[in-house]
Amino acid sequence: MADTYTPPVAGTGVKATIQRIGGHLAGMIMPNIGAFIAWGLITALFIPTGWLPNETLGKMVGPIISTLLPVLIAYTGGRMVHGQRGAVVGAVAVMGVVVGTDAPMFLGAMIIGPLTALILKYVDKFTEARTRAGFEMLVDNFSAGIVGAAMAVVGFLAIGPVVQTVTSAAGQAVEWLITSNLLPAASLLIEPAKVLFLNNAINHGVLSPLGVAEAAETGKSILFMLESNPGPGLGLLLAYLLFGPRSLRPSTPAAMIIHFFGGIHEIYFPYVLMKPRLIAAVILGGAAGVFTFMITGAGLVATPSPGSIFAYLAVTPKGGWLASSLGILVAAAVTFAVAAVLLGFGRGEKKDGEDDPGTAGAETGAEPLTSKEA
């Protein structure tokens, strides 16, 4: 649940509101980090461009990211709001979003899971005082089924298309920045969109087609490097390792390996969602990397897939490795520096056992979140 990772926040200010939002996002994402890592390993190993390409085992990649992970997120979000009943209806409702769109519906799952559970919570309050003895199970089962089915239809017809529209709008905005020669500013859209798991839509839907056209004329294109740069993710995870919540630090080395060497960037997105203010770090890091690529004349001959450092260097034209590596290092360094500042250099993190007995933080070793935190 949310308070496992971010205990309740006091206050009503803007910072407290942002912290609450971050806490809810963390509550939906962080319990499922193991599933993200499992998907990352399977993807890095078995996709056609992976380390051990296997067409049969690679068939698991699509269903996991398009169905399993959204269901887990919606299930967890529903459980946060209304216990096991909320979890069940959240998982049912998200199937409407999943089936109604082609893109991974992580954002849609974060919306429809808690929303459906909240509706069922109010329905339960309404029926509880009006249900005769002996009919409780019947009413409970049918009310959950009706709410879950109705919200699945709403997800299919409304929530899914809205999220799909957001995806398309983000891609069009990035394309406008590119055509306006404002490449570093493109990170203002690319990095937040990536964190919402829209990276494939932007990279393969906008950047890659434009990059292919440019590479056909000049032999290389910087457009292949905008979204695929592993530097920002590496810098963010390194900052988490050194200054992040102590309960999460053990998970970052594996995430760094999967991200930087395996090329599965999605593995670091939940870490940003947990503390939304860190989006500033990846934006600045991404922009710094793009600027470095521009002044050094860097470019790739094709899209690195997956976006690992090895794939990145493999599609770098002869003589361009220094420029490519420099852009990655600058992006990682800037992201790390900004993220370290935003994390307060770990000053707010308590060692295990230092929390007050009986608090959520003491039970989990999680970071205590206060209204004074940025």
Side-chain angles (χ1 to χ4, degrees):
M1 296 185 184
D3 58 3
T4 301
Y5 299 93
T6 52
V9 180
T12 57
V14 174
K15 291 182 179 180
T17 300
I18 294 175
Q19 289 171 357
R20 287 191 183 93
I21 294 173
H24 289 304
L25 293 175
M28 285 187 276
I29 296 293
M30 298 311 296
N32 300 308
I33 279 292
F36 279 89
I37 292 177
W39 174 81
L41 290 172
I42 292 171
T43 303
L45 289 173
F46 302 128
I47 61 175
T49 53
W51 300 106
L52 299 172
N54 188 301
E55 183 178 356
T56 301
L57 296 178
K59 292 179 180 179
M60 293 187 288
V61 173
I64 291 176
I65 192 172
S66 64
T67 304
L68 176 61
L69 294 180
V71 168
L72 285 175
I73 291 172
Y75 180 94
T76 306
R79 188 179 182 88
M80 290 165 54
V81 175
H82 194 39
Q84 183 63 24
R85 284 172 58 75
V88 172
V89 295
V92 172
V94 78
M95 289 307 299
V97 178
V98 168
V99 175
T101 56
D102 297 326
M105 282 291 107
F106 297 95
L107 180 59
M110 292 178 190
I111 296 171
I112 199 169
L115 178 60
T116 304
L118 182 62
I119 293 174
L120 180 63
K121 185 175 182 178
Y122 283 114
V123 170
D124 284 349
K125 287 183 178 180
F126 177 81
T127 60
E128 183 177 1
R130 295 168 175 80
T131 303
R132 294 185 178 182
F135 289 88
E136 293 89 353
M137 182 176 292
L138 178 65
V139 172
D140 286 349
N141 288 338
F142 269 89
S143 61
I146 292 171
V147 170
M151 288 302 293
V153 174
V154 171
F156 185 95
L157 298 177
I159 296 178
V162 168
V163 175
Q164 192 76 48
T165 300
V166 171
T167 303
S168 301
Q172 293 171 1
V174 171
E175 184 175 3
W176 177 82
L177 287 174
I178 292 171
T179 57
S180 301
N181 296 318
L182 299 172
L183 286 183
S187 296
L188 289 169
L189 294 173
I190 291 176
E191 298 302 332
K194 285 173 63 177
V195 171
L196 294 176
F197 295 87
L198 305 180
N199 51 315
N200 289 326
I202 290 177
N203 192 26
H204 300 296
V206 177
L207 300 178
S208 290
L210 295 174
V212 168
E214 183 177 345
E217 298 179 2
T218 64
K220 63 181 180 179
S221 175
I222 192 176
L223 301 181
F224 293 130
M225 313 176 86
L226 301 187
E227 184 276 335
S228 60
N229 187 352
L234 178 63
L236 180 86
L237 291 172
L238 185 59
Y240 253 97
L241 176 64
L242 298 178
F243 307 119
R246 291 184 181 274
S247 60
L248 296 178
R249 293 181 191 181
S251 69
T252 54
M256 281 191 284
I257 292 173
I258 293 172
H259 164 71
F260 194 67
F261 297 109
I264 308 305
H265 295 192
E266 288 87 347
I267 200 68
Y268 81 85
F269 300 166
Y271 291 87
V272 181
L273 291 173
M274 179 184 170
K275 292 183 179 292
R277 65 180 180 273
L278 293 180
I279 191 65
V282 292
I283 288 175
L284 292 174
V290 173
F291 182 73
T292 303
F293 292 143
M294 289 180 63
I295 63 176
T296 58
L300 304 180
V301 298
T303 300
S305 178
S308 73
I309 183 61
F310 300 118
Y312 216 79
L313 297 178
V315 293
T316 299
K318 186 178 180 180
W321 289 290
L322 178 59
S324 295
S325 301
L326 185 60
I328 294 173
L329 290 175
V330 168
V334 172
T335 302
F336 171 77
V338 177
V341 172
L342 294 176
L343 289 171
F345 296 100
R347 288 192 297 268
E349 303 302 333
K350 295 183 179 180
K351 296 181 180 180
D352 294 339
E354 288 187 1
D355 298 281
D356 295 333
T359 64
E363 293 172 358
T364 64
E367 172 194 22
L369 201 61
T370 69
S371 58
K372 295 182 180 179
E373 182 178 344

